[in-house]
Amino acid sequence: MLDVRDLTVAFQSKDKAKTLVPALDGVSISIGRGETLGLVGESGCGKTLSSLAVMGLLPESARVQSGQLLFDGDDLLHLKDAERNKVRGVRIGMIFQDPMTSLSPYYTIGNQLMEGLRYHMGMSKKQAKERALDLLQKVGIPGPERVFHEYPEQLSGGMRQRVMIAIAISCEPDLLIADEPTTALDVTTQAQILDLLAELQRENGMSLILISHDLGVIAEMCSRVVVMYAGQVIEQSEAKALFADPTHPYTRALLAATPRMTEKQERFYQIPGAVPAPTEWGTGCRFRGRCEHATAECGEMPPLSRLDGARFVRCWYAAGQTLQGREVRA
Ligand SMILES: Nc1ncnc2c1ncn2[C@@H]1O[C@H](COP(=O)(O)OP(=O)(O)OP(=O)(O)O)[C@@H](O)[C@H]1O
Ligand code: SF4
Ligand SMILES: [Mg+2]
């Protein structure tokens, strides 16, 4: 359904030199109909940027340098505006990482919900109001009639998040991108929102890209996982295989740093060092400053190699280990 191919995005610096600073580097991510794909990686790795590129909502200073954004075979980067508007926000919905910056403080919840329904679905005011109230009910908002007339600041974080979901699903999208949909919420609300997403998916056969720092949530919800590091995809796998046997040293470290994913919950492991800034990327593997398996070979960028079935890894060591294992087994 969605096939992001080799997407490279850079930011233009604000100074006179207008230098281009890379942010996404050859990112390829695809998702099929009805599938749930998890997108993980530390802060600043490019998860939100990849989603914003799909939505056509990159910041003004961002430049798509190369790549394709194929949606049902059409490249979103080259569609005419009218065609593109039928896809983004309609067939693809997005729940943004920060609901307060994406909901307007100046319009009531009702108006913000009705806007898309009237503009994209051609509904009359009466039809749009009925549908908006249905949607508020569906996402579990008590007293939809009251909330319809309220402004975002009058709602709690959990309620705002539900409104965001209602807006994102209002045009019955084929694909929903949920960027940290539960991070700011308490555990109970978190569970309710995730249940709601799973239910919507079951009902409509919708595809879901779930971005989360919470690997427990990813393990529970997703059938496939893409791991990003410093603007690149570094591992991609069926979720079960990834959690049972992560191959990339970064994926292993991420799992070890998630208490819920390890048996010894009392020990909290932290990955040493930090994600390098684009100016520090250099030519080799971007994880090598933090990697216990790094060798001289890692001064050259490893390709994203296919290991077996649906598993891909960008690491000389992991690819070598698995290939050796195969030879031994053979
Ligand atoms: N407006 C911007 N101007 C310049 N660079 C930016 C801008 N937005 C993002 N970037 C660059 O793109 C990188 C990726 O950012 P992105 O928001 O996609 O990260 P993320 O993986 O979603 O992180 P988080 O987990 O914190 O949400 C950042 O590290 C930064 O280098
Ligand atoms: S390529 Fe080398 S430095 Fe990079 S993750 Fe693999 S072993 Fe570590
Ligand atoms: Mg983000």
Side-chain angles (χ1 to χ4, degrees):
M1 168 176 284
L2 175 72
D3 195 1
V4 176
R5 285 197 192 159
D6 226 6
L7 181 68
T8 298
V9 173
F11 281 92
Q12 200 165 49
S13 68
K14 288 196 181 100
D15 54 18
K16 270 192 195 154
K18 301 235 178 294
T19 331
L20 284 173
V21 181
L24 294 182
D25 180 8
V27 169
S28 296
I29 297 169
S30 65
I31 179 167
R33 218 164 275 278
E35 195 183 10
T36 305
L37 177 77
L39 194 52
V40 303
E42 280 165 295
S43 198
C45 285
K47 306 178 298 293
T48 296
L49 220 50
S50 303
S51 321
L52 293 179
V54 171
M55 295 304 287
L57 294 173
L58 284 172
E60 241 175 60
S61 56
R63 303 281 174 272
V64 175
Q65 296 185 293
S66 61
Q68 290 178 302
L69 299 174
L70 300 174
F71 186 70
D72 273 350
D74 293 323
D75 190 347
L76 295 174
L77 291 171
H78 299 295
L79 280 186
K80 295 209 172 76
D81 283 353
E83 292 301 309
R84 211 171 3 215
N85 289 343
K86 284 185 200 155
V87 176
R88 288 166 163 163
V90 186
R91 294 195 58 206
I92 311 179
M94 179 160 173
I95 302 169
F96 295 89
Q97 194 163 0
D98 178 1
M100 251 346 231
T101 56
S102 38
L103 287 174
S104 166
Y106 306 112
Y107 294 96
T108 61
I109 300 300
N111 273 333
Q112 296 187 55
L113 256 169
M114 282 167 45
E115 191 190 346
L117 294 169
R118 299 204 62 194
Y119 178 68
H120 294 298
M121 311 280 275
M123 289 187 181
S124 68
K125 211 170 174 181
K126 185 165 175 280
Q127 286 170 325
K129 181 170 183 188
E130 271 171 26
R131 170 98 174 118
L133 290 172
D134 278 353
L135 283 162
L136 289 174
Q137 178 123 41
K138 188 169 191 69
V139 296
I141 288 186
E145 276 283 359
R146 176 179 48 81
V147 171
F148 184 90
H149 295 287
E150 285 183 337
Y151 290 85
E153 62 170 16
Q154 293 173 270
L155 304 180
S156 68
M159 288 299 134
R160 269 183 229 138
Q161 200 64 329
R162 285 170 200 259
V163 169
M164 280 295 302
I165 297 179
I167 293 175
I169 62 166
S170 61
C171 299
E172 298 182 349
D174 297 318
L175 168 66
L176 181 66
I177 304 176
D179 192 356
E180 302 283 359
T182 59
T183 307
L185 308 175
D186 62 81
V187 177
T188 316
T189 316
Q190 215 179 72
Q192 287 169 353
I193 299 268
L194 292 172
D195 282 350
L196 174 66
L197 288 177
E199 187 189 316
L200 288 168
Q201 206 180 8
R202 272 195 307 275
E203 275 178 13
N204 308 343
M206 183 178 78
S207 310
L208 176 67
I209 296 181
L210 181 61
I211 302 175
S212 178
H213 281 110
D214 189 334
L215 294 183
V217 165
I218 296 283
E220 201 178 301
M221 301 273 294
C222 302
S223 52
R224 210 154 51 81
V225 181
V226 167
V227 186
M228 290 189 72
Y229 188 76
Q232 291 180 314
V233 172
I234 57 99
E235 184 158 6
Q236 183 179 314
S237 167
E238 297 290 338
K240 268 196 187 144
L242 186 104
F243 289 112
D245 177 25
T247 60
H248 196 289
Y250 176 61
T251 315
R252 289 180 188 214
L254 261 189
L255 290 188
T258 307
R260 283 172 66 178
M261 302 307 294
T262 58
E263 280 172 15
K264 290 188 179 167
Q265 302 220 350
E266 72 279 8
R267 279 182 57 220
F268 188 71
Y269 168 78
Q270 264 193 313
I271 311 176
V275 184
T279 45
E280 301 160 357
W281 281 358
T283 51
C285 170
R286 292 175 193 162
F287 190 58
R288 69 185 187 282
R290 308 169 81 183
C291 179
E292 58 182 353
H293 301 291
T295 61
E297 192 183 19
C298 307
E300 191 183 325
M301 176 63 75
L304 191 64
S305 317
R306 184 180 211 126
L307 294 184
D308 47 46
R311 185 176 276 231
F312 294 81
V313 69
R314 187 188 291 283
C315 168
W316 298 118
Y317 167 79
Q321 286 281 305
T322 311
L323 291 176
Q324 272 171 24
R326 248 195 227 148
E327 274 160 23
V328 169
R329 277 199 296 274

